[in-house]
Amino acid sequence: DALVAGGAFAAFLSTSSGLAVSVAGAISQDLLPRRRARGSSVPAFRLATVAGLLLAYVLAALAASLSVADMVSLAFTVAASSFCPLLVLGIWWRRLTDVGAAAGLLVGGGLATVAVALTVAVHPEGGWPAALLAQPAAWTVPIAFAVMITTSLATPGRVVPAVSQVMARMHLPENLRGAPEAR
C-alpha cells in the first residue's frame, strides 16, 4: 500500500509541477512585457510562477465546497466549450475563419467560465438555474458552434485561400495525395 501511495503522490507532484511550469512559461512569454534584449527572462518566469500558483490557490480555496468530481466536470466544460467547436470545425468545415474561431472560443469559453463561477459562488439548489449550471456544456458548446459558424459566414473573405489543399492533406489517404512535398 505504501508503494502505491508513494507512486500516486509522485504522479500528482509531477503533473502539478508540469502544469505550473507550463502556465508560468505561457504567462512569462505571452503576457508579460518583453525585456529579453536587456537580460535574462528568468525573473519574469519566477514572477509568472508565483502569480499562476497564487491564482490557482485562490480558485481552489473558492471552490473548496465542491467535490473533486464536480470540479473536474466543470474544468472539462470550459475546455469543451472552447476547443471542441474549434477542433471539429477546423478539421471538417472549409469555411471556418480566424475571426469566427476566435469569437467562438471567447463566447463558448466565456459562458462556460461564467457558469462555473456562478456554480462555485451561488451553489444553486433547484429549478432551471440549477439544471443549467449543473451541466453547462449542454448549452455552451452549441452556442460556441453557432457563434463560430455565424461569424465565419459573416466574414467569408477571411477564409484561408489554400484551405482545400490543407483539407485534402488532412483527410485523404497518403497514396491518393501524390508524392510527398520536398522540404
Side-chain angles (χ1 to χ4, degrees):
D1 289 337
L3 187 59
V4 171
F9 192 70
F12 163 73
L13 284 178
S14 66
T15 302
S16 59
S17 64
L19 287 172
V21 167
S22 297
V23 167
I27 291 171
S28 67
Q29 294 293 312
D30 298 335
L31 299 179
L32 294 178
R34 306 239 185 235
R35 294 193 177 124
R36 276 182 242 137
R38 292 187 298 188
S40 173
S41 61
V42 172
F45 181 79
R46 288 180 180 159
L47 175 66
T49 303
V50 171
L53 291 176
L54 281 175
L55 177 65
Y57 177 76
V58 168
L59 292 175
L62 291 173
S65 63
L66 292 176
S67 70
V68 172
D70 289 339
M71 286 309 300
V72 169
S73 172
L74 293 174
F76 279 120
T77 294
V78 174
S81 300
S82 51
F83 295 119
C84 174
L86 177 66
L87 292 172
V88 169
L89 293 176
I91 292 171
W92 296 105
W93 193 47
R94 296 174 193 262
R95 297 171 68 183
L96 181 66
T97 64
D98 57 341
V99 176
L105 281 170
L106 291 173
V107 170
L111 286 173
T113 301
V114 168
V116 168
L118 286 173
T119 300
V120 170
V122 178
H123 305 293
E125 294 296 323
W128 277 104
L132 291 174
L133 293 177
Q135 299 297 325
W139 54 274
T140 57
V141 171
I143 289 173
F145 268 104
V147 168
M148 280 189 191
I149 291 169
T150 55
T151 306
S152 292
L153 291 175
T155 57
R158 304 283 302 206
V159 175
V160 177
V163 72
S164 293
Q165 290 85 3
V166 172
M167 290 284 189
R169 275 188 285 155
M170 285 193 310
H171 299 293
L172 290 175
E174 289 181 20
N175 60 351
L176 293 178
R177 286 190 238 156
E181 298 175 13
R183 291 184 185 220

